[in-house]
Amino acid sequence: MIDRATVSFSLLRLIPVVIAMSLALAACGPTLKQVTLPEEAVKAERERQFELALAMMTKRHDRLQTVALPLLIAATPLCEDDAEPLYGIELHDKVFYREKLGEAFEQAAVKQYGLGDGVYVRYVHPTLPAGLSGLSVGDRVHAIDDVPLDHKQAIEAMRILRDRNRAGDPPLSLTIERKGQRMTLTIPTVRACRYPVILVNEDAVNAYADGSKVGITKGMIRFAERDEELALVVGHEIAHNTLGHLRKRMGPALLGTIADLAIAIVTGVRTGIFQEVGGRVFSQAFEAEADYAGLYLVARAGYDITGSAQFWRRMAVEHPGSIQGAFLTTHPSAPERFLAIERTSREIEEKRRQGLPLIPERRP
């Protein structure tokens, strides 16, 4: 058994240590006066910062959609079997913000957009059918075709839009309310590749395509200073999807995996080397192909491609590691991409001069 007297004596011996530590901590503390902050002021500032955060997210998202949607339309010759009607509209409601971002952002959205009950228009592309038909941000949507939305959420309404896309390309009928007046708009459709372009909440300067969608980080949104630069990035990723690069990469990677398994059976050693090498066999070629086709998409979408190659000089300045290529890297070097974009730009301009269709050339 433990002697209680011994424990008490040991604890008493710790008292000077505790006192010394307390004095040391006190010496490390702040020495200047602290501003006293009223809780109401802190609460008001917190709400304001949520509003600013939502406004910035919205601004970046809208910029990305405004740049990307014309590119998805321009890409339809390359994805005819994977295209759908497009209207250039996004809907939202209070529930969307509460479930996706939390109550603080819901309150910010109500204040920013004046949301009440019901489904509202949050975004309209200015040059696509919805915008050209007179739809405006802030319109309340009461019905899509003959389907009332009175007891539906925005997510359900967007699902209705996607589902009708599978039924063909009839004009879209929207019953909306604006300033207390109801009206019905008839919105024609255009065809576009079925690859949603999403904003990824990451600071890294990056973009990706996974075969079914395109992701662009907020870091890339900041880095691409001009819309033409952002279009170059988005067009590149859309090209990856239209050309089936992810699917094509799976073949060599699978063969590499089989080779690794064979070696493991014979030697008992799992290397994974052949799978990695197999996955990289055509990586640089696929990236170069996406650069080539992507610039065509940018031109077809109506963007000015003059000076597009300068993007890769800017990238080299910010990321010098991209200047020197290496055998096992997945992307061509920045100098190679700069020169290839320059040559492709001249090819496109020559086709324009001759009145030829802007379609990427295939290998002879």
Side-chain angles (χ1 to χ4, degrees):
M1 296 181 61
I2 299 175
D3 188 341
R4 292 185 178 180
T6 302
V7 172
S8 299
F9 179 72
S10 298
L11 292 175
L12 288 172
R13 293 176 63 185
L14 290 175
I15 291 177
V17 176
V18 173
I19 294 174
M21 291 180 62
S22 300
L23 292 174
L25 287 173
C28 294
T31 58
L32 300 181
K33 77 170 187 179
Q34 296 184 17
V35 177
T36 301
L37 300 174
E39 183 57 34
E40 286 301 314
V42 174
K43 179 182 177 182
E45 178 59 21
R46 183 177 293 113
E47 292 174 354
R48 178 56 180 155
Q49 291 186 16
F50 273 115
E51 293 168 13
L52 292 171
L54 178 62
M56 181 55 71
M57 283 191 290
T58 300
K59 180 180 179 180
R60 288 170 176 160
H61 173 85
D62 290 359
R63 181 192 175 204
L64 180 58
Q65 296 309 306
T66 301
V67 168
L69 296 186
L71 291 164
L72 291 171
I73 295 171
T76 49
L78 301 179
C79 70
E80 292 181 355
D81 296 333
D82 200 14
E84 65 182 1
L86 180 71
Y87 309 102
I89 174 178
E90 289 185 9
L91 306 176
H92 68 159
D93 60 5
K94 292 187 291 186
V95 177
F96 171 84
Y97 295 96
R98 181 167 66 250
E99 293 185 351
K100 297 294 183 179
L101 298 173
E103 291 185 5
F105 278 106
E106 177 191 3
Q107 295 171 7
V110 168
K111 187 171 183 179
Q112 179 171 325
Y113 294 108
L115 292 177
D117 295 329
V119 176
Y120 294 81
V121 177
R122 196 209 63 78
Y123 169 80
V124 178
H125 194 290
T127 64
L128 294 188
L132 296 177
S133 299
L135 192 67
S136 297
V137 172
D139 290 342
R140 179 176 177 180
V141 183
H142 285 278
I144 297 175
D145 294 330
D146 296 325
V147 181
L149 302 182
D150 295 338
H151 302 291
K152 295 185 183 296
Q153 298 177 8
I155 292 178
E156 296 175 283
M158 291 299 294
R159 190 178 299 120
I160 292 171
L161 288 176
R162 289 194 298 270
D163 288 344
R164 83 182 301 277
N165 288 345
R166 302 188 184 101
D169 299 351
L172 172 67
S173 176
L174 286 185
T175 301
I176 66 168
E177 180 181 338
R178 182 185 301 165
K179 296 180 179 179
Q181 299 294 320
R182 287 204 183 195
M183 63 186 78
T184 299
L185 299 179
T186 300
I187 303 174
T189 63
V190 294
R191 301 289 290 177
C193 291
R194 190 184 290 109
Y195 307 132
V197 180
I198 63 173
L199 177 64
V200 181
N201 189 29
E202 295 179 3
D203 289 321
V205 180
N206 197 15
Y208 70 84
D210 65 3
S212 61
K213 64 179 178 296
V214 168
I216 308 294
T217 66
K218 67 179 183 181
M220 180 62 79
I221 294 286
R222 289 195 297 259
F223 179 79
E225 297 174 348
R226 299 182 299 114
D227 285 351
E228 290 80 6
E229 290 181 331
L230 183 57
L232 187 69
V233 175
V234 177
H236 171 95
E237 300 303 335
I238 292 174
H240 272 312
N241 284 346
T242 62
L243 296 169
H245 285 164
L246 183 66
R247 172 178 49 80
K248 291 178 180 179
R249 283 191 182 119
M250 293 174 64
L254 179 59
L255 292 175
T257 301
I258 294 172
D260 285 328
L261 288 174
I263 292 173
I265 292 171
V266 174
T267 67
V269 178
R270 295 178 178 271
T271 65
I273 294 175
F274 287 97
Q275 180 185 19
E276 182 178 357
V277 172
R280 294 172 180 251
V281 167
F282 298 113
S283 290
Q284 289 199 22
F286 285 154
E287 293 298 331
E289 188 175 46
D291 278 349
Y292 176 71
L295 189 62
Y296 267 89
L297 299 184
V298 174
R300 286 174 54 83
Y303 292 101
D304 183 6
I305 61 173
T306 305
S308 294
Q310 293 296 327
F311 176 83
W312 290 108
R313 283 185 172 171
R314 289 188 57 236
M315 185 67 75
V317 170
E318 295 295 331
H319 302 279
S322 66
I323 299 174
Q324 184 65 48
F327 174 69
L328 286 178
T329 57
T330 58
H331 291 65
S333 67
E336 290 172 312
R337 302 183 85 167
F338 173 87
L339 294 172
I341 289 292
E342 274 200 327
R343 292 192 177 189
T344 304
S345 182
R346 289 196 294 268
E347 177 181 300
I348 291 172
E349 292 304 330
E350 180 61 22
K351 284 187 177 182
R352 278 178 168 161
R353 190 183 66 80
Q354 297 182 29
L356 299 174
L358 300 184
I359 303 295
E361 300 289 331
R362 293 191 176 273
R363 287 186 177 185

